[in-house]
Amino acid sequence: MNSKEIKIDQIAQAIARVKTIAICGHVMPDGDSLGSELALGIALRKMGKEVLLFSPDPVPEAYTFLPMASEVKHQLEDNNQKFDMFISVDCSVPDRLGDFIKLIQLSEQVVIIDHHAGSTVFGDLYLNDPEAAAAGEIIYDILKVLPVNIDSDIAQCLYVAIVTDTGSFRYDNTGPETHLRVAELLRVGIPAARINKQLYEEKPLVGLKILKEALDTLTLSGCGRIAWMCVKREVLQKLGAHDEHVDGIINYPRMIKGVELALFYREMGQDRFKISFRSKYNLDVNKLAALFGGGGHSRAAGCIIEGDFESIQKKILEAALQVLEDAER
Amino acid sequence: MNSKEIKIDQIAQAIARVKTIAICGHVMPDGDSLGSELALGIALRKMGKEVLLFSPDPVPEAYTFLPMASEVKHQLEDNNQKFDMFISVDCSVPDRLGDFIKLIQLSEQVVIIDHHAGSTVFGDLYLNDPEAAAAGEIIYDILKVLPVNIDSDIAQCLYVAIVTDTGSFRYDNTGPETHLRVAELLRVGIPAARINKQLYEEKPLVGLKILKEALDTLTLSGCGRIAWMCVKREVLQKLGAHDEHVDGIINYPRMIKGVELALFYREMGQDRFKISFRSKYNLDVNKLAALFGGGGHSRAAGCIIEGDFESIQKKILEAALQVLEDAER
């Protein structure tokens, strides 16, 4: 057994010994965080455990169709409630548990299951595998060791975890093992096509309206390597839209032929802008964001800048052209 | 062995015996048609066969990155050229071979490899498996039987065939076997994430401009179950766009929450409209298209109508509401 398999075995054995278990994912939960938490919760209940599911933020509407999603709680019934075990899924930064950071103190044993690189080591059993495409992949491996059958409900949750965190198997975190696990999940007999429709074809109308407004602002640099769009507050207000409706719009400038760097300006308030950076193949946008006090990953980063919009755009474009030139030299 | 395995074996044996082979896919080639043709061509050349690759229409720019794509020919060098074998891939309707229908006469043996339901049985060896998600899946199975190693070039072509025909594994043609085959293709070591970027993130700028114009026309029925958009000729002319740039835009009205039926009106000429119909979960749009002399599949169909745009829209909407009401009763 390799060290990951040993850790999976240890976690499975520890789980088998306890009775009351709290599970929580990270703030602003995504498909992997929720899918992993629900899959684990359903499986442990099937094993006779007393399981409570928590999330610091509400379940986004897109994921409310998941089995047992309605049982996810946003506060403890009792602030002194004790648990034999707390399992943090898809989260190894205590602050990202929001209020549920207190579960660490309230539980006899703390287990961390995550796949994000560069996180904090905490808890009694810590398994963070950045090679895993999704926390859902690790949960799958743990459930394979536990005396529980992966039924359709569990398989649906794990499928959502994996499909969302791999961008429908398009991202470079997707390996042969990902497809092998998903083949097994489909064998259980889940309605995968319907799940994909629920995930990707039930978007609020206002999202398309914002997309239209954002496309109205689409601009390319002279070299065609940089493209950007912006959304002002007044547009969001006019459409009755929230910040969440803007998510994903930055993918549009990036999908243009020849574009390596996409920028998205979101007005946060008077003279205050959040700028998102995305690169396609090679550019390290983390470096670019860092020039303006921001950060992130090499392909996705962001920063917040205050000032006049015109001069912010000028500054960002100059820096972006420079970083691009340095990278392609 | 089941009947499909027997057929695969027969085809593999027949291929092993011949020397000169012509391969052709269908008109307006897509990722499956081209990926399957190229994968087979590369493999057969590795086996020492003399292979010529044909396509009735040019290779779309999105697929020019595929290995050996530049070797696909659009006409015969010599109208009397003879082949030991002609293999029609992803096509079992002779007319969809365009001019290359003549390969049927020019070849001693004709092999059909397809997965489209309801096609014409022709040729000496006919394998049409509507259970296959892509022709690429059948080619994969044939290559597994032939004495040839699936190398990175072949694996890339097969990956593109499968990923495009399954909508990135979202459509209901995607089964466990699809993911198992793809796991094997990834094991060969192909740059899958980069391929996905080349397929889905290198779109012509004009496509986003048309999307913006189309979103400007987005309208929903009072019940919120039907959404439609249109693109007029003058818009295409203004943007210097071609019909191919409009492809896929109908996905946008369908992805709205609550919408079951999406319509897209494309002006073909003076008082002449092509109408595309797409349904999300249950509605049979083939029936709807048939009311106007069109046809297609249950989730995707189309028709062409002549007349004044206002009255066409009125007629279509009335019929659509009726079909929807009948279906949901």
mmCIF file of all heavy atoms in Angstrom, chain A residues 11-33:
data_model
loop_
_atom_site.group_PDB
_atom_site.id
_atom_site.type_symbol
_atom_site.label_atom_id
_atom_site.label_comp_id
_atom_site.label_asym_id
_atom_site.label_seq_id
_atom_site.Cartn_x
_atom_site.Cartn_y
_atom_site.Cartn_z
ATOM 1 N N ILE A 11 -8.467 6.116 7.939
ATOM 2 C CA ILE A 11 -9.703 6.904 8.063
ATOM 3 C C ILE A 11 -10.906 5.962 8.110
ATOM 4 O O ILE A 11 -11.807 6.119 8.947
ATOM 5 C CB ILE A 11 -9.813 7.912 6.901
ATOM 6 C CG1 ILE A 11 -8.742 9.012 7.054
ATOM 7 C CG2 ILE A 11 -11.210 8.540 6.852
ATOM 8 C CD1 ILE A 11 -8.681 10.009 5.908
ATOM 9 N N ALA A 12 -10.921 4.964 7.216
ATOM 10 C CA ALA A 12 -12.037 4.017 7.193
ATOM 11 C C ALA A 12 -12.164 3.298 8.534
ATOM 12 O O ALA A 12 -13.266 3.146 9.073
ATOM 13 C CB ALA A 12 -11.843 3.011 6.051
ATOM 14 N N GLN A 13 -11.025 2.872 9.087
ATOM 15 C CA GLN A 13 -11.058 2.179 10.386
ATOM 16 C C GLN A 13 -11.554 3.093 11.499
ATOM 17 O O GLN A 13 -12.337 2.682 12.353
ATOM 18 C CB GLN A 13 -9.665 1.659 10.733
ATOM 19 C CG GLN A 13 -9.278 0.406 9.958
ATOM 20 C CD GLN A 13 -7.822 0.018 10.178
ATOM 21 O OE1 GLN A 13 -7.252 0.320 11.225
ATOM 22 N NE2 GLN A 13 -7.236 -0.634 9.192
ATOM 23 N N ALA A 14 -11.098 4.340 11.486
ATOM 24 C CA ALA A 14 -11.523 5.298 12.522
ATOM 25 C C ALA A 14 -13.026 5.548 12.432
ATOM 26 O O ALA A 14 -13.737 5.592 13.435
ATOM 27 C CB ALA A 14 -10.737 6.600 12.372
ATOM 28 N N ILE A 15 -13.508 5.716 11.195
ATOM 29 C CA ILE A 15 -14.942 5.954 10.991
ATOM 30 C C ILE A 15 -15.747 4.760 11.516
ATOM 31 O O ILE A 15 -16.780 4.919 12.177
ATOM 32 C CB ILE A 15 -15.255 6.184 9.491
ATOM 33 C CG1 ILE A 15 -14.769 7.583 9.057
ATOM 34 C CG2 ILE A 15 -16.745 6.046 9.211
ATOM 35 C CD1 ILE A 15 -14.869 7.853 7.558
ATOM 36 N N ALA A 16 -15.259 3.554 11.209
ATOM 37 C CA ALA A 16 -15.988 2.345 11.600
ATOM 38 C C ALA A 16 -16.182 2.268 13.117
ATOM 39 O O ALA A 16 -17.168 1.714 13.602
ATOM 40 C CB ALA A 16 -15.248 1.104 11.094
ATOM 41 N N ARG A 17 -15.267 2.881 13.882
ATOM 42 C CA ARG A 17 -15.301 2.770 15.355
ATOM 43 C C ARG A 17 -16.235 3.759 16.039
ATOM 44 O O ARG A 17 -16.613 3.540 17.181
ATOM 45 C CB ARG A 17 -13.878 2.977 15.917
ATOM 46 C CG ARG A 17 -12.990 1.731 15.842
ATOM 47 C CD ARG A 17 -11.723 1.922 16.667
ATOM 48 N NE ARG A 17 -10.892 2.999 16.164
ATOM 49 C CZ ARG A 17 -9.841 2.826 15.324
ATOM 50 N NH1 ARG A 17 -9.525 1.621 14.893
ATOM 51 N NH2 ARG A 17 -9.153 3.854 14.911
ATOM 52 N N VAL A 18 -16.579 4.889 15.365
ATOM 53 C CA VAL A 18 -17.341 5.943 16.057
ATOM 54 C C VAL A 18 -18.834 5.878 15.748
ATOM 55 O O VAL A 18 -19.272 5.141 14.857
ATOM 56 C CB VAL A 18 -16.791 7.341 15.702
ATOM 57 C CG1 VAL A 18 -15.359 7.487 16.195
ATOM 58 C CG2 VAL A 18 -16.914 7.605 14.208
ATOM 59 N N LYS A 19 -19.605 6.663 16.509
ATOM 60 C CA LYS A 19 -21.068 6.628 16.360
ATOM 61 C C LYS A 19 -21.617 7.957 15.810
ATOM 62 O O LYS A 19 -22.353 7.976 14.840
ATOM 63 C CB LYS A 19 -21.687 6.330 17.737
ATOM 64 C CG LYS A 19 -23.197 6.207 17.753
ATOM 65 C CD LYS A 19 -23.670 4.876 17.172
ATOM 66 C CE LYS A 19 -25.195 4.804 17.087
ATOM 67 N NZ LYS A 19 -25.647 3.691 16.233
ATOM 68 N N THR A 20 -21.271 9.083 16.465
ATOM 69 C CA THR A 20 -21.825 10.376 16.031
ATOM 70 C C THR A 20 -20.782 11.147 15.213
ATOM 71 O O THR A 20 -19.649 11.334 15.638
ATOM 72 C CB THR A 20 -22.251 11.240 17.237
ATOM 73 O OG1 THR A 20 -21.100 11.472 18.064
ATOM 74 C CG2 THR A 20 -23.315 10.560 18.059
ATOM 75 N N ILE A 21 -21.223 11.572 14.048
ATOM 76 C CA ILE A 21 -20.291 12.193 13.105
ATOM 77 C C ILE A 21 -20.882 13.485 12.539
ATOM 78 O O ILE A 21 -22.030 13.496 12.080
ATOM 79 C CB ILE A 21 -19.960 11.237 11.935
ATOM 80 C CG1 ILE A 21 -19.389 9.906 12.482
ATOM 81 C CG2 ILE A 21 -18.990 11.878 10.945
ATOM 82 C CD1 ILE A 21 -19.135 8.855 11.414
ATOM 83 N N ALA A 22 -20.100 14.548 12.593
ATOM 84 C CA ALA A 22 -20.477 15.808 11.925
ATOM 85 C C ALA A 22 -19.622 15.939 10.669
ATOM 86 O O ALA A 22 -18.424 15.665 10.696
ATOM 87 C CB ALA A 22 -20.225 16.987 12.857
ATOM 88 N N ILE A 23 -20.266 16.351 9.574
ATOM 89 C CA ILE A 23 -19.517 16.556 8.323
ATOM 90 C C ILE A 23 -19.764 17.987 7.862
ATOM 91 O O ILE A 23 -20.900 18.477 7.924
ATOM 92 C CB ILE A 23 -19.962 15.574 7.218
ATOM 93 C CG1 ILE A 23 -19.954 14.134 7.735
ATOM 94 C CG2 ILE A 23 -19.083 15.700 5.982
ATOM 95 C CD1 ILE A 23 -20.441 13.103 6.716
ATOM 96 N N CYS A 24 -18.713 18.651 7.404
ATOM 97 C CA CYS A 24 -18.884 20.024 6.914
ATOM 98 C C CYS A 24 -17.925 20.275 5.751
ATOM 99 O O CYS A 24 -16.801 19.771 5.739
ATOM 100 C CB CYS A 24 -18.613 21.024 8.036
ATOM 101 S SG CYS A 24 -18.995 22.738 7.592
ATOM 102 N N GLY A 25 -18.375 21.034 4.760
ATOM 103 C CA GLY A 25 -17.529 21.463 3.647
ATOM 104 C C GLY A 25 -17.161 22.930 3.800
ATOM 105 O O GLY A 25 -17.341 23.509 4.870
ATOM 106 N N HIS A 26 -16.672 23.519 2.734
ATOM 107 C CA HIS A 26 -16.171 24.897 2.837
ATOM 108 C C HIS A 26 -17.237 25.965 2.568
ATOM 109 O O HIS A 26 -18.327 25.653 2.091
ATOM 110 C CB HIS A 26 -14.961 25.099 1.913
ATOM 111 C CG HIS A 26 -15.210 24.795 0.461
ATOM 112 N ND1 HIS A 26 -16.011 25.575 -0.337
ATOM 113 C CD2 HIS A 26 -14.750 23.793 -0.330
ATOM 114 C CE1 HIS A 26 -16.019 25.070 -1.570
ATOM 115 N NE2 HIS A 26 -15.283 23.991 -1.589
ATOM 116 N N VAL A 27 -16.886 27.214 2.896
ATOM 117 C CA VAL A 27 -17.770 28.354 2.610
ATOM 118 C C VAL A 27 -18.023 28.405 1.106
ATOM 119 O O VAL A 27 -17.233 27.900 0.314
ATOM 120 C CB VAL A 27 -17.138 29.691 3.079
ATOM 121 C CG1 VAL A 27 -17.102 29.781 4.595
ATOM 122 C CG2 VAL A 27 -15.746 29.878 2.490
ATOM 123 N N MET A 28 -19.129 29.045 0.725
ATOM 124 C CA MET A 28 -19.513 29.106 -0.691
ATOM 125 C C MET A 28 -19.360 27.726 -1.334
ATOM 126 O O MET A 28 -18.537 27.526 -2.229
ATOM 127 C CB MET A 28 -18.679 30.154 -1.433
ATOM 128 C CG MET A 28 -18.976 31.571 -0.954
ATOM 129 S SD MET A 28 -17.791 32.820 -1.524
ATOM 130 C CE MET A 28 -17.774 32.567 -3.266
ATOM 131 N N PRO A 29 -20.167 26.774 -0.887
ATOM 132 C CA PRO A 29 -19.972 25.384 -1.312
ATOM 133 C C PRO A 29 -20.174 25.206 -2.821
ATOM 134 O O PRO A 29 -21.039 25.839 -3.413
ATOM 135 C CB PRO A 29 -21.049 24.626 -0.539
ATOM 136 C CG PRO A 29 -22.086 25.632 -0.211
ATOM 137 C CD PRO A 29 -21.353 26.928 -0.027
ATOM 138 N N ASP A 30 -19.347 24.351 -3.400
ATOM 139 C CA ASP A 30 -19.481 24.027 -4.824
ATOM 140 C C ASP A 30 -19.941 22.573 -4.958
ATOM 141 O O ASP A 30 -20.264 21.916 -3.968
ATOM 142 C CB ASP A 30 -18.154 24.282 -5.551
ATOM 143 C CG ASP A 30 -16.993 23.526 -4.922
ATOM 144 O OD1 ASP A 30 -17.253 22.592 -4.133
ATOM 145 O OD2 ASP A 30 -15.832 23.869 -5.203
ATOM 146 N N GLY A 31 -19.968 22.098 -6.181
ATOM 147 C CA GLY A 31 -20.463 20.744 -6.428
ATOM 148 C C GLY A 31 -19.634 19.675 -5.754
ATOM 149 O O GLY A 31 -20.163 18.665 -5.280
ATOM 150 N N ASP A 32 -18.323 19.897 -5.690
ATOM 151 C CA ASP A 32 -17.453 18.888 -5.076
ATOM 152 C C ASP A 32 -17.642 18.877 -3.558
ATOM 153 O O ASP A 32 -17.798 17.810 -2.951
ATOM 154 C CB ASP A 32 -15.987 19.179 -5.429
ATOM 155 C CG ASP A 32 -15.045 18.078 -4.951
ATOM 156 O OD1 ASP A 32 -15.508 16.938 -4.748
ATOM 157 O OD2 ASP A 32 -13.844 18.360 -4.788
ATOM 158 N N SER A 33 -17.642 20.058 -2.965
ATOM 159 C CA SER A 33 -17.821 20.159 -1.518
ATOM 160 C C SER A 33 -19.141 19.504 -1.090
ATOM 161 O O SER A 33 -19.169 18.652 -0.194
ATOM 162 C CB SER A 33 -17.794 21.649 -1.138
ATOM 163 O OG SER A 33 -18.052 21.825 0.213
#
